[in-house]
Structures are given as structure tokens and as C-alpha cells.
Amino acid sequence: MIIPAEYYLVLSAVLFFIGVFGFFTRRNLVSLLISTELMLNAVDINFAVFNAYCYDHLEGYIFTLFGIGIAAAETAVAIAIIINVYRNMKTIHIKNLRELKD
Amino acid sequence: MELAIYILALPLLSFLILGLVGKNLSHKVAGILGTLSLMVCTVIAYSVAVTYFGAGRSEDGLFPTLMPYNYTWLPLGGNLSIDMGVLIDPISVMMLVVITTVSLMVHIYSLGYMKGEKGFQRYYAFLSLFTFSMLGLVVATNIFQMYVFWELVGVSSYLLIGFYYTKPAAIAASKKAFIVTRFADLFFLIGILIYGYYTQDFSFTINESILLSASAVLPLALGLMFVGGAGKSAMFPLHIWLPDAMEGPTPVSALIHAATMVVAGVYLVARMFPLFVGYAPETLSMIAYVGAFTALYAAVVACVQTDIKRVLAFSTISQIAFMMVALGVCTSTDPHKGGLGYMASMFHLFTHAMFKGLLFLGAGAIIHAVHSNEKEHMGGLRKYMPITHITFLVACLAIAGIPPFSGFFSKDEILTACYDYSVIMGMFMSIVAALTAFYMFRLYYLIFWGKSLYEEQLNSYNSGIIKEKPHKPHEAPICMTAPLVILATITCFAGFIPFGEFISSNGHAYEIHLRTEVAISSILFAIAGIVIATIMYKSGESKLTKAINQSCKGFIKAAYRRFYMDELWMFITKKIIFNCISRPIAWFDKKVIDGSMDMLATITQRLADFVRPMQSGNIQSYSVWFLSGTLALVLILLYLM
């Protein structure tokens, strides 16, 4: 039985908007980071699904792998920044991080 | 004649040096520097005069008009250009001599008078600036150069009147002098521009054909120029600045507000004289009437002033008015047929500069001795200040018109010219001359005769009524009395200069001959004035004086307040001009011009206030906007497809 592509797409859309919602509403830097990861993963799923169902080559999968790799690197950098922010400001709540703005 | 440029250059140089590095010089060095440069300048001026008049007349019987220097300074297109140069002709040479002489006397005198004053170097710098500008004015080769220097003398007069800049009265007086003369100069400038536009020429040379074609506007242009001259020469009703200008140091009053700058207006009319006579005789008679009225007005006011410098100021106004009248009554350029006034006016300018300078310097010595300007603090000074007394008396006799002092000769020529014009004018000016004698001798008696305030105070000190020992009046130091003596000597003998040999309205030699009936009547008038003054004031204010004062109290008070001319001007400016013109303009400026600019700024600011919150720096709100924007675009695209 082949799972129809729409199922995957619905999953990815739901995942993406959960990420968007989290990105808009969370005030914690780590939560924001997790939300962006969710959005990235939703995109990755889309790449894989479209490659599997509508395309003969491998570019979609390769792109997914790149996406995962970049996501990992980005997470590492972001976490490092967040830790440094915490060390300096003793907080990672986004409301309190206004130094660069003012 | 090429030396003439140094007459201008030296005072300018001394102004620059004293103005720039004067602060580092000691008082003595600065004073001597200024005086020395002027002394050299005077010597050059005399040598120029001697060479010029010594060279004699050219073949046409006139003294040549020389222009050793004349450079185009500002070409205005066409034939019109503004030149800068040096013009040597009889009246400019005469003025050079007058200015350098009086200025030198004032420089020497100020060494004593201004001793130890704060800003001594500044004072000498300004004196040099003034001398430079005044000399530049008289040697101007064209009317525009004259105007440039005209304004420069105005500035230096402003600076010197306001020399004591910590005194509010001095500041007010300097502003008043500057604004009033500047107001008059506006008309002068308009006159010059009209003249330049229609004749395509600013120079004093006369070109008959061009002038004839412009003859319709010439009376207007010359009349406007005369308004400028009237402002500088304190003709009624623009005279209001001169009495107040006495707030300046006294030697400055002697130099600027008695001898030289105030006669610039007379000099201007004399310079333009051929034009006035040839093309604007009605303007010339207007000048005569303005002058005659001013002479009477100032003489009456001078009779009741209590501040000795104010008396001298009004006397100056009156005497300058005499010169104006003399020019105004000319009806032709021939001195034998109605052109005598020109020579008389220049002669009077010359003698007046000497004796009025002397009077002011004498007044300065008196003020120096008693530390006051008011007549109440004087009286009986003849014992304490013999030299000042004698020289002052000489000047009083000269201005009253008693022979053989210089004033007699020049005033007599003026009166003769007036009688030639009309008998009424002659009688009128004779009466003013009698008034002159009266107020000058009133002043003389009030200062030098009567009870001495010092003796009174000394008596009450000796009997223990007052504690403080009074200050004894003393004769001025030698550097102040020497100029007095020199000027007095000139005053005694200047009348015998054959002035008509050098200057006359058509340039040909004119032999001065006294007309017996005019001479006798003017002497009688002068003596009458002196006698009345003697009766009224010789021993203080007698009973008769008090009775007269009592009987015409209102008139005397009005005269003392100068017939409310200052109040009238104040009313015109403050009430009428400020309220009707200035305030509406100010309102328009504030509300409409500023308002429209303000509105632009306000709109921008409001807009900014509205836009600014969007740029919060908050990533999350940005992303919300971003997402909503994307969604909106997607929806639009979907709809379009």
C-alpha cells in the first residue's frame, strides 16, 4: 500500500505551522531555536516527498541531507550564542534582550 | 601730488597696527604711534596744499583738477564703473588741511584727556579709522567712492560714540546715531543709483549733453542725495542723533561731531554744486529753507540747554545750517552774481572747524577739571583755568562774529550771500547770528563767571557743614592746553586768509570785500546778543533772568526738551511704524513663513511617529509582518490566477 503524498504534505504543513506558531509566541530563545528546527524539518520532508513522488533524480534527497547538516551546524552555533547570552545577561528571555536595539 | 596717497595710507596703517596688536602695546606707545602717524600725514597734507596752490592756476584761470590715482574698482557693465582714487581740487585740498589739522590736535589732546582710560589703544585705533575714512571721503573721485567712505565715517562715529560701552546712555546714543544716519543714507544711495542709471556715470565730471538728457530726474536724484547729507549734517528733522552723540569722549565730539564728519553733508552739496545750480535750482532753494529753519531751531534750543556739550552740539547744528543756507542761496556759479554763498560756505566750514574744535576741546578741559557736564557744577572757573578761559573766550568771540576773529569774516560772507538772495533771508539769518552770540556768551558766563561751586563747597567744608574736602578745579596738562592755544591762534588769524583766492564757485579768483552795511549790522547784532547775555548771566542768574524764565516758562521747557522732536520721532517709529508696518510684517513672518516651514516639519514628525513603532527591533513582530505579507501575496496571486 502506497501512502498518498497528500498525507506527507499535510504532516509537513502542520509541522511547519507548529514551528511558525512557536516562533511567534515563544519568548525563550531555546524554544525559538526548536521552532525554527521544526520549520526546517517540515521543509526537508517536503523535499523528500516531492523527490520520491514526482521526480526521477536524487537532488531532492541530497538537498534534504544538506538541510539536516546545515540545521545541525546552525543549532550548534545558535546554542553557543544562547549560552554566551545567558552567561552575560543571566537570562535568555527575549523581552530582556534589548541591548542591540537601543 | 602722488604723495597724497600716503595721507590715506598712514591712518589706515596705524588703524590696522593699533587694532590688531594694540592690546600688547602700552598706552604711551599706542598714543604716540597714532599721533606720530597723523603728524606725518598732516605734514604731507600741508605740503600737498602748498604745492597745489603754489603751482598756480592753469591757462583758463582755474586751479587744475588732478587725479593722481584712479582705479576701476567694480565695473558694472557698459561705461558705468565704480572707481577708487584720489581727487585733488581746491575744496578737497582745503578739507585735507582742515581734517588733518583738527585730527592732529585731537590726537595730541587725547593723550592727556584719555590718560589711563581702559581701551586707550582701541580709542586711538578708532580715531585713526575715522581719520582715514574722512580723508577718503573728501578725496573721492566719484560719488560712489564718497558713499563708501561716507558709510565708513558713519561706522567709526558709531564706534567712538559707543566708546564707553558699559554706559547704557552711550550705547543708546551710538545706536541712535547709526540708525538715523543710516536711514538718511538709504535715500542717498537711492539718489546715487538714480543718478548713475540716468547719466551712466558716477564721477563728478560734468558732461553737458548727458546731463541735459537726464535733467528730468536730476532734481529728484540730487534731492535724495541731499537727504543723505542732511542726515550726516544733522539738518532738521534728522538732527536728533547729534545732541545724543555727545555721550562719546569729548575729543571725539570735537573731531567728529563738530569739525569734520558733520560737515560731510555740506561738502557733498558743495561737491555736487554745479549740478545743483545748473539742473536743480529748486532743490537748492529747498536746502536754503531747511537750513534756515534748522539754524533758528537749533539756536533757540541751544539757549536753554544746561549740559555744556549739548549747548555746543546745538550750536554745531546751527552753524552747519548756516553753511547749508549759504550753499542754498546760490543762484549761479558766478560769485559776483549770486554765487557768493559757495565760497562763504566753504570759508565758514574752514573757520568753524577750527573754533568749534577749540570750543569742544575747551569744554573737554573743563569737564576734565570739574568732572561734570552740567552748568550747575561750573561757574567762576576763570581763576582756576586761565588758558582754557582765554582760548574759550577767543572761540566764543569768533563764533559770535566779532572782528577780527575768523568767524566774523566767514559769517559775514554768508550773511551777504543771504541778503543777495532776499532781504528776508538776510534778516532772518542775522537774527540767528545774534542768537548765536547770545547762547555762546550765556555758556561762557555760566562756566567762567558767577559763583564758584568750589569756593562755596570750600566755605562749607571750613565751617564744617560738609565732611568731604571738595575737589579743586585745575588747569589741564600741557598736552591738552597746547592744542587749545594752537587752535586759538588759528582762530585769531584765519579770517585774514584770502579765501576767495583759492576757492570760489566758478574757480576763478574772487576778492573778498566786506559790504559795509552788512558788516556793521552783523557786528551790532552780535554785540546786542553779547550784551543781553552779559546782563542776564554775568553774575550768576540775576533777578531779571529769573523773571524772564518765569514769564515764559512753558516755552523754555519746550525748548529745553528740544520742542519734543525726539518724542515725535519716538511716536512715529514706535507707535506708527512699529504698529502699522513692523508688527504686521513680524506676524506674517512668524505665522505664514515660519508657520509653513513649521507645518512641514510637524507633518514629517507625525509621520515618523506613526512609522517608528513598526521598526521595533523585535524579530518576532517582524516575522509576523513577514508572514502576513507573504500570505497576502499568495492570496493575491491565487486570486489573479
Side-chain angles (χ1 to χ4, degrees):
Chain A
M1 186 186 79
I2 297 171
I3 301 171
E6 287 84 359
Y7 286 33
Y8 291 105
L9 292 180
V10 168
L11 170 71
S12 112
V14 168
L15 208 55
F16 184 81
F17 279 98
I18 289 172
V20 167
F21 182 75
F23 190 78
F24 286 174
T25 54
R26 294 286 123 178
R27 292 288 181 264
N28 188 304
L29 278 181
V30 178
S31 313
L32 287 183
L33 184 62
I34 292 170
S35 309
T36 39
E37 289 309 314
L38 281 177
M39 288 190 274
L40 264 174
N41 286 342
V43 173
D44 286 345
I45 290 172
N46 266 12
F47 273 121
V49 169
F50 282 116
N51 196 38
Y53 284 84
C54 340
Y55 198 59
D56 285 343
H57 303 287
L58 289 173
E59 278 95 335
Y61 296 129
I62 303 290
F63 227 104
T64 310
L65 286 177
F66 265 116
I68 291 167
I70 287 172
E74 179 225 306
T75 313
V77 172
I79 290 286
I81 291 174
I82 291 169
I83 289 171
N84 268 313
V85 166
Y86 181 74
R87 279 189 183 157
N88 281 315
M89 316 268 183
K90 296 290 167 214
T91 178
I92 49 169
H93 197 280
I94 205 162
K95 276 266 163 71
N96 301 332
L97 301 177
R98 299 181 155 270
E99 296 247 311
L100 286 178
K101 181 193 161 195
D102 294 330
Chain B
M1 290 304 124
E2 276 65 33
L3 277 176
I5 198 77
Y6 294 105
I7 302 178
L8 286 183
L10 278 170
L12 179 63
L13 198 69
S14 121
F15 163 64
L16 289 178
I17 292 172
L18 288 174
L20 291 175
V21 298
K23 268 194 172 163
N24 307 327
L25 303 175
S26 72
H27 284 195
K28 208 169 207 172
V29 174
I32 287 175
L33 190 71
T35 313
L36 263 185
S37 81
L38 206 79
M39 205 176 275
V40 177
C41 186
T42 311
V43 170
I44 299 174
Y46 282 5
S47 77
V48 165
V50 168
T51 356
Y52 181 73
F53 287 121
R57 296 160 182 277
S58 49
E59 280 159 16
D60 54 359
L62 306 174
F63 281 110
T65 301
L66 304 175
M67 263 193 231
Y69 298 92
N70 199 24
Y71 301 108
T72 303
W73 178 57
L74 188 65
L76 294 176
N79 296 325
L80 200 59
S81 69
I82 300 174
D83 300 345
M84 286 285 157
V86 174
L87 178 79
I88 303 282
D89 75 344
I91 55 172
S92 72
V93 171
M94 187 272 290
M95 288 301 285
L96 286 182
V97 170
V98 170
I99 294 163
T100 49
T101 310
V102 179
S103 186
L104 178 63
M105 291 304 130
V106 166
H107 271 76
I108 296 172
Y109 181 90
S110 301
L111 290 175
Y113 187 85
M114 300 299 287
K115 198 172 183 184
E117 291 272 1
K118 194 165 161 281
F120 189 84
Q121 300 93 332
R122 182 164 56 91
Y123 174 81
Y124 268 90
F126 288 164
L127 272 192
S128 299
L129 173 66
F130 171 77
T131 312
F132 160 70
S133 342
M134 192 66 210
L135 292 167
L137 193 158
V138 298
V139 298
T141 56
N142 58 75
I143 189 83
F144 220 105
Q145 185 190 353
M146 198 168 177
Y147 180 71
V148 171
F149 284 96
W150 185 276
E151 293 299 341
L152 268 176
V153 288
V155 171
S156 30
S157 152
Y158 165 81
L159 291 170
L160 282 164
I161 296 170
F163 178 73
Y164 298 120
Y165 59 81
T166 47
K167 237 168 79 180
I171 298 168
S174 63
K175 273 196 292 193
K176 188 173 180 181
F178 194 71
I179 291 169
V180 172
T181 51
R182 194 65 202 76
F183 171 71
D185 294 347
L186 180 66
F187 295 97
F188 187 14
L189 180 60
I190 297 172
I192 293 175
L193 294 179
I194 293 177
Y195 178 77
Y197 180 76
Y198 283 99
T199 61
Q200 286 297 305
D201 192 8
F202 286 126
S203 76
F204 296 122
T205 46
I206 289 176
N207 187 331
E208 297 280 345
S209 59
I210 293 176
L211 284 175
L212 270 180
S213 69
S215 60
V217 293
L218 273 180
L220 174 68
L222 292 170
L224 287 169
M225 285 183 202
F226 169 68
V227 175
K232 238 350 155 237
S233 288
M235 290 293 108
F236 186 88
L238 294 167
H239 66 280
I240 50 164
W241 65 272
L242 187 57
D244 288 20
M246 299 300 139
E247 290 295 340
T250 310
V252 168
S253 308
L255 176 60
I256 302 183
H257 307 118
T260 55
M261 187 191 82
V262 286
V263 297
V266 179
Y267 182 75
L268 170 71
V269 178
R271 204 18 113 209
M272 308 300 276
F273 182 74
L275 292 174
F276 273 107
V277 165
Y279 301 93
E282 54 291 335
T283 314
L284 210 52
S285 26
M286 183 194 78
I287 294 174
Y289 294 125
V290 170
F293 181 74
T294 310
L296 177 69
Y297 166 84
V300 170
V301 175
C303 288
V304 296
Q305 295 296 314
T306 56
D307 180 326
I308 62 167
K309 281 181 78 183
R310 292 267 197 285
V311 176
L312 292 178
F314 278 104
S315 132
T316 308
I317 297 176
S318 183
Q319 294 303 308
I320 297 164
F322 264 89
M323 302 171 206
M324 281 290 188
V325 170
L327 285 170
V329 295
C330 289
T331 47
S332 78
T333 53
D334 186 351
H336 297 283
K337 294 193 200 94
L340 175 63
Y342 179 83
M343 190 281 290
S345 171
M346 290 295 106
F347 196 11
H348 199 55
L349 193 162
F350 179 78
T351 57
H352 173 260
M354 302 302 165
F355 62 68
K356 189 48 72 63
L358 171 56
L359 281 172
F360 266 105
L361 295 184
I366 294 155
I367 292 166
H368 194 69
V370 300
H371 304 292
S372 164
N373 282 10
E374 289 294 321
K375 72 176 168 67
E376 278 79 29
H377 301 128
M378 296 165 191
L381 287 175
R382 68 184 186 285
K383 275 174 268 175
Y384 304 103
M385 313 179 72
I387 301 175
T388 313
H389 171 227
I390 298 296
T391 51
F392 204 87
L393 179 61
V394 166
C396 283
L397 288 169
I399 193 172
I402 300 292
F405 299 102
S406 61
F408 165 73
F409 296 94
S410 53
K411 195 175 276 184
D412 201 65
E413 291 306 307
I414 292 182
L415 292 178
T416 311
C418 290
Y419 276 110
D420 282 351
Y421 183 68
S422 74
V423 180
I424 297 172
M425 185 61 102
M427 293 300 291
F428 187 84
M429 295 315 285
S430 298
I431 291 168
V432 178
L435 270 176
T436 311
F438 170 73
Y439 67 68
M440 283 320 296
F441 274 83
R442 169 180 174 269
L443 183 68
Y444 166 73
Y445 285 123
L446 288 174
I447 295 173
F448 293 105
W449 293 71
K451 274 174 287 194
S452 163
L453 186 73
Y454 166 68
E455 281 165 21
E456 275 176 33
Q457 283 178 341
L458 196 67
N459 284 340
S460 46
Y461 171 73
N462 288 339
S463 52
I465 299 170
I466 54 169
K467 291 265 165 3
E468 219 174 311
K469 191 160 197 251
H471 170 81
K472 188 180 176 190
H474 54 87
E475 184 60 276
I478 179 86
C479 62
M480 284 165 74
T481 49
L484 293 181
V485 174
I486 295 172
L487 284 175
T489 318
I490 298 176
T491 303
C492 288
F493 298 109
F496 299 106
I497 296 173
F499 208 78
E501 285 293 317
F502 305 120
I503 292 171
S504 71
S505 45
N506 59 359
H508 292 283
Y510 172 79
E511 196 186 334
I512 295 178
H513 41 78
L514 297 174
R515 206 176 295 172
T516 327
E517 65 272 17
V518 177
I520 289 175
S521 72
S522 78
I523 295 172
L524 286 180
F525 270 115
I527 289 177
I530 295 173
V531 168
I532 295 173
T534 314
I535 296 170
M536 285 176 72
Y537 295 103
K538 175 148 186 256
S539 46
E541 296 200 345
S542 63
K543 269 186 198 153
L544 176 71
T545 320
K546 287 199 177 104
I548 293 173
N549 283 349
Q550 201 59 40
S551 60
C552 37
K553 216 166 158 187
F555 181 76
I556 287 179
K557 185 155 177 271
Y560 180 71
R561 302 290 303 277
R562 309 161 194 177
F563 296 108
Y564 306 104
M565 279 314 294
D566 289 71
E567 283 80 358
L568 181 68
W569 272 106
M570 273 318 203
F571 176 76
I572 292 174
T573 50
K574 283 219 162 131
K575 293 276 152 58
I576 297 177
I577 296 181
F578 283 11
N579 281 343
C580 299
I581 301 174
S582 308
R583 275 182 219 284
I585 291 175
W587 180 88
F588 184 81
D589 182 55
K590 267 189 208 143
K591 301 283 166 178
V592 179
I593 296 178
D594 285 10
S596 60
M597 290 300 137
D598 284 354
M599 200 171 68
L600 274 181
T602 317
I603 290 174
T604 315
Q605 200 171 17
R606 290 274 155 77
L607 214 64
D609 283 346
F610 174 68
V611 176
R612 195 167 46 194
M614 293 181 184
Q615 198 119 36
S616 61
N618 187 346
I619 302 270
Q620 285 176 317
S621 67
Y622 287 174
S623 48
V624 171
W625 283 107
F626 169 69
L627 187 73
S628 6
T630 317
L631 284 180
L633 276 179
V634 168
L635 285 177
I636 290 168
L637 284 175
L638 281 179
Y639 174 76
L640 286 180
M641 281 168 185

